[in-house]
Amino acid sequence: MTNTLVIGDRAYSSWSLRGWLLFDAFGIPVRTVSARLYTDEFASVLNDFFPARTVPTMRTPDGSVVADTLAIAEELAARHPEAGIWPADPHARATARALAAEMHAGFANLRSYCPMNLRVSYSGCAPPPGVLADLARLETLWSWARRTTGSATPWLCGAYSAADAFFAPVASRIATYNLPVNAEAMLYVNAHLAHPSFRRWRAMGLVDGPDQGFYRRDYPRRDWPGPVPLPARAVPGTDTANPTCPYSGQPVTHALQLYGRSFGFCSAFCRDKTAADPEAWPAFIALYQS
């Protein structure tokens, strides 16, 4: 048996992104169950995870139901100490926990004015004073964390930790709304945009269901500022270099083309998430390079 994680729409659910990163970024297997936001499906799915009322919610292999990302982080760290969810060094660990707790509870102005939306990027959004104050606090926290822990990596407390997973949705907001932060903070944002697990989540979010109107804004748009994906595209047919899906091992039913070569997948979702960002998927890249 493995862990199960209930998530909302990948493009929009910032809490779900945090919860999923606590698995994928640390190599912990998980099965996901989707509950689309603002629909009857949401409550229906969560009925099977009583008493949870929010996403993400985890069910462990022994049947324990754990809602809330901080609780999920602590439970996974206890069950998988080898994964390195929190730093091993006591000072770095204390710093990471303090950072995650403040992110978990704060930044209400930024959350409200700039909801997470991984499908677009805007050239600007005229952030009001409350949002600018939240951004200044992020700059302070991120700089202090790297300084006090002596981090020599792109991350806040040394190796990538739960603290970084908690700030990933904020990094995405800065990218989406082109929010003004200093150069040091922007380097941290760029590290998130390039992180393999974040790229996988965003690739799925780009093709995971229709747009949610609640998150639409009328700001001028720009290209997504993260890594530029390879130019893959969906194509008809099943005449592909591989007879089985690189993810499931099931027979090919859908195909994409990349630089004149065709590759097959077992479903439209497997194909489309790969076409959205081929380099985010190690199994596909291994196939492509074979």
Side-chain angles (χ1 to χ4, degrees):
M1 296 179 65
T2 189
N3 297 285
T4 301
L5 188 72
V6 186
I7 60 171
D9 301 49
R10 290 181 176 92
Y12 308 111
S13 179
S14 59
W15 294 100
S16 296
L17 169 58
R18 287 188 188 96
W20 184 82
L21 286 172
L22 292 170
F23 290 91
D24 195 75
F26 298 98
I28 301 173
V30 67
R31 180 180 73 92
T32 58
V33 177
S34 295
R36 185 159 170 78
L37 303 174
Y38 313 115
T39 68
D40 293 339
E41 178 186 59
F42 189 82
S44 176
V45 169
L46 284 175
N47 280 341
D48 293 331
F49 293 83
F50 183 85
R53 298 189 298 176
T54 60
V55 292
T57 289
M58 171 181 74
R59 179 185 287 129
T60 65
D62 60 19
S64 302
V65 172
V66 184
D68 188 277
T69 48
L70 270 179
I72 291 171
E74 293 294 356
E75 190 59 27
L76 287 178
R79 291 173 182 248
H80 300 274
E82 76 290 346
I85 289 175
W86 296 112
D89 174 76
H91 176 64
R93 184 170 62 248
T95 302
R97 282 186 162 128
L99 292 167
E102 181 162 345
M103 182 65 252
H104 185 271
F107 304 97
N109 291 303
L110 177 57
R111 294 178 194 268
S112 176
Y113 193 78
C114 301
M116 192 177 87
N117 186 345
L118 298 178
R119 293 184 171 180
V120 297
S121 184
Y122 303 110
S123 58
C125 68
V131 173
L132 296 176
D134 280 351
L135 293 172
R137 178 61 178 169
L138 288 171
E139 291 176 343
T140 297
L141 284 177
W142 294 349
S143 178
W144 164 77
R146 290 178 52 80
R147 187 172 64 253
T148 192
T149 64
S151 177
T153 76
W155 308 111
L156 297 179
C157 302
Y160 187 97
S161 74
D164 301 300
F166 271 69
F167 282 112
V170 159
S172 82
R173 286 172 163 98
I174 292 171
T176 290
Y177 297 95
N178 196 19
L179 296 172
V181 295
N182 63 27
E184 182 183 9
M186 198 66 224
L187 287 174
Y188 182 57
V189 169
N190 289 338
H192 278 286
L193 302 187
H195 190 277
S197 292
F198 181 89
R199 289 180 69 172
R200 283 191 284 276
W201 177 271
R202 181 171 180 265
M204 291 187 285
L206 290 173
V207 301
D208 182 17
D211 290 345
Q212 289 273 22
F214 173 82
Y215 297 90
R216 188 176 300 114
R217 300 293 186 271
D218 293 328
Y219 307 130
R221 296 194 179 191
R222 63 171 186 163
D223 292 337
W224 180 256
V228 177
L230 298 176
R233 61 185 181 89
V235 294
T238 57
D239 184 13
T240 60
N242 54 305
T244 60
C245 178
Y247 310 127
S248 70
Q250 298 299 310
V252 163
T253 58
H254 294 73
L256 67 74
Q257 190 174 87
L258 177 61
Y259 294 128
R261 298 171 63 195
S262 294
F263 302 91
F265 304 87
C266 67
S267 68
F269 183 65
C270 282
R271 176 199 62 195
D272 293 345
K273 73 180 186 180
T274 307
D277 190 353
E279 290 179 300
W281 306 99
F284 173 74
I285 291 300
L287 171 64
Y288 176 70
Q289 293 176 343
S290 63

